């Protein structure tokens, strides 16, 4: 199959997954609004296309609703050339600085401190090499064992169907990555993280990447529904704002994607859409 | 004069300035409480001593009041040895990694969007060399020309009394330093910034450092009082929370002191006391 066809298949998948994720989150907003006898609006995602200087662009979809205080789903397909300082850091970019990248990035910050925040991101990158990367992880304010267990089980099933080594490796990678050394604490309860994956075997990498997206799409709405009608106190809301502060600290101090994007002149709004809406460092 | 006497004089000055700053801010809280017929508490700073693993420590003083939503004044005097990775980055530390440092750091986040946030920090550092550093800058949500002008004038007067070259150099340094490249915007309306200052001339450097502290102590309470009874709207408060988000972005992405402190195992609470209490990325 031609390179162009592979690129188109990956980009199409990310866009299709975006549409399904958006539908899944909007359905929860609708259910909630209906349960509230429509005293609250049934919020919808708002889509805003953006173009990248240098090649390509994306669509940033944002929802600000009664259930999902701030949810962002960004799909982008970009191309260009890495600047000399980044060439040595990117597989296959030393001799030929051209790249093409397509991906989906999802960050959900629910209003309720009982619904866990979540992040999922998968991407396909092509330089002289070609690979997949991404992951999914959960950041509850008050971890609930059953939620943590079911989230990990969904990702484990997706991994195990492809390779029994994936889950332990990618779970450990996630724990190592989403960690705040200055606080000596993890960002959340983990998930999986993978990168430079299946270089050279498009079908294998693509199938696994799709499985990660499917697993997230299946499990996250389930977890959100579990806590949809649970009430919270002001103290719980404040604990959520403080926990979100840790999220901000991680993303601005350590997250490679955030720092890379900001330093390479990426779309600031799309990169920082991951930051939570209401945050406290009391 | 002996090195030990110089160190003691610097450390004593920072502690004395802290006491006067605390008194000045508490006086404003008292005035405000009295004007509100004591319907609000007249808030006080709370002082918490902390010890540094490796040598020395400090006192973190925090005020959470009706006027100053979060104000922190941290004084620390620490000593130890730089790790190998930092020795080349610090003047005089290549051959002898031992250091001694004393300083004051002040960050004020007022509740009112009309009272500007402010930062002042001065320090004396000794390795094989000895120097002063610091600065003061203002971060209003809605810049008011008269405030900006008076703040700069106070710092200019402090600078000009020592050297006519200081103000233009240190103002430009401040503008360059407190800048968010990813947003292409300054953090606030500036002030002054200086470092590696008057290496080798303790009296000269110390006198200028005291002048910067005096200037801040004189002008900031004046600016805060100007807007003490000015009302604000919800929209103005929201604009303040968003502006505070930029402050967080700067401190976690670019501030050398913050990043250096977090990477060298500094006191996390003291370092991150600079982060604003209530922040929004809507």
């Amino acid at each position: 199959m031609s390179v162009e066809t592979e690129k188109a298949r990956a980009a199409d998948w990310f866009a299709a997954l975006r549409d399904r994720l958006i539908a899944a989150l909007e359905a929860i907003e609708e259910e909630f609004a209906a349960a509230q006898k429509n005293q609250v609006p049934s919020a919808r995602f708002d889509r805003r296309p953006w173009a990248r200087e240098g090649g390509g662009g994306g669509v940033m979809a944002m929802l600000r609703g009664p259930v999902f205080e701030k949810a962002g789903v960004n799909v982008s397909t970009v191309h260009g050339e890495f600047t000399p300082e980044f060439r040595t850091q990117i597989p296959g970019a030393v001799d030929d600085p051209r790249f093409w990248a397509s991906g989906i990035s999802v960050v959900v910050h629910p209003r309720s401190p009982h619904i866990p925040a979540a992040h999922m991101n998968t991407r396909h990158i092509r330089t002289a090499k070609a690979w997949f990367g991404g992951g999914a992880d959960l950041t509850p304010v008050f971890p609930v064992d059953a939620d943590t267990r079911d989230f990990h089980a969904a990702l484990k099933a997706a991994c195990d169907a492809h390779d029994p080594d994936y889950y332990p490796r990618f779970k450990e990678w996630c724990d190592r990555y989403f960690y705040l050394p200055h606080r000596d604490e993890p960002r959340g309860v983990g998930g999986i993280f993978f990168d430079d994956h299946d270089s050279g075997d498009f079908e294998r990498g693509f199938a696994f990447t799709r499985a990660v997206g499917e697993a997230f799409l299946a499990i996250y709405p389930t977890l959100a529904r579990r806590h949809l009608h649970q009430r919270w106190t002001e103290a719980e809301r404040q604990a959520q704002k403080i926990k979100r502060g840790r999220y901000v600290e991680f993303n601005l101090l350590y997250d490679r994607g955030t720092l890379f994007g900001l330093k390479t002149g990426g779309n600031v709004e799309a990169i920082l859409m991951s930051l939570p809406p209401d945050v406290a460092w009391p």
Side-chain angles (χ1 to χ4, degrees), chain A residues 15-28:
Chain A
L17 178 61
R18 183 261 322 272
D19 292 343
R20 292 165 67 201
L21 270 164
I22 282 181
L25 297 179
E26 286 181 346
I28 294 175

Side-chain angles (χ1 to χ4, degrees), chain A residues 8-206:
Chain A
R9 284 173 64 206
D12 287 351
W13 160 259
F14 295 128
L17 178 61
R18 183 261 322 272
D19 292 343
R20 292 165 67 201
L21 270 164
I22 282 181
L25 297 179
E26 286 181 346
I28 294 175
E29 289 284 359
E30 262 176 49
E31 278 173 44
F32 183 75
Q36 304 289 310
K37 311 230 184 301
N38 294 302
Q39 297 295 300
V40 300
S42 157
R44 298 258 158 205
F45 273 87
D46 174 59
R47 298 186 188 206
R48 230 167 57 200
W50 54 274
R52 178 177 169 277
E53 214 176 310
V59 178
M60 188 166 67
M62 298 292 302
L63 169 72
R64 293 177 176 88
V67 179
F68 302 110
E69 191 175 351
K70 182 179 176 183
V73 185
N74 191 47
V75 163
S76 67
T77 301
V78 301
H79 59 271
E81 292 199 2
F82 286 115
T83 56
E85 62 170 312
F86 284 110
R87 287 175 200 176
T88 53
Q89 298 174 37
I90 309 284
V94 170
D95 295 326
D96 184 344
R98 288 175 298 173
F99 72 92
W100 175 95
S102 184
I104 182 171
S105 175
V106 184
V107 175
V108 186
H109 292 290
R111 194 172 301 272
S112 164
H114 299 301
I115 302 179
H119 160 250
M120 190 275 285
N121 160 252
T122 48
R123 57 191 171 273
H124 179 43
I125 299 180
R126 293 208 171 232
T127 57
K129 303 192 172 193
W131 70 95
F132 290 86
D137 66 291
L138 203 66
T139 309
V141 185
F142 307 107
V144 172
D145 285 347
D147 294 350
T148 305
R149 192 186 57 222
D150 294 349
F151 187 74
H152 283 289
L155 293 172
K156 182 173 189 300
C159 289
D160 287 353
H162 291 81
D163 190 321
D165 290 341
Y166 282 178
Y167 181 70
R169 263 176 62 208
F170 298 160
K171 177 185 187 301
E172 193 274 332
W173 197 344
C174 182
D175 289 343
R176 197 163 10 101
Y177 184 79
F178 291 105
Y179 188 76
L180 288 77
H182 65 286
R183 300 247 183 217
D184 196 14
E185 66 185 43
R187 186 174 83 168
V189 297
I192 58 168
F193 188 95
F194 62 103
D195 206 356
D196 304 342
H197 187 67
D198 268 335
S199 193
D201 188 339
F202 176 85
E203 292 303 338
R204 197 174 142 84
F206 187 34

Side-chain angles (χ1 to χ4, degrees), chain A residues 179-242:
Chain A
Y179 188 76
L180 288 77
H182 65 286
R183 300 247 183 217
D184 196 14
E185 66 185 43
R187 186 174 83 168
V189 297
I192 58 168
F193 188 95
F194 62 103
D195 206 356
D196 304 342
H197 187 67
D198 268 335
S199 193
D201 188 339
F202 176 85
E203 292 303 338
R204 197 174 142 84
F206 187 34
F208 176 63
T209 296
R210 289 199 309 271
V212 171
E214 295 283 1
F216 182 82
L217 178 62
I219 189 64
Y220 184 66
T222 305
L223 301 184
R225 279 194 176 86
R226 276 184 199 167
H227 305 284
L228 190 56
H229 301 294
Q230 197 173 338
R231 291 171 188 280
W232 65 85
T233 65
E234 265 311 298
E236 287 167 335
R237 174 72 180 172
Q238 181 66 6
Q240 179 191 48
K241 289 187 186 181
I242 292 167

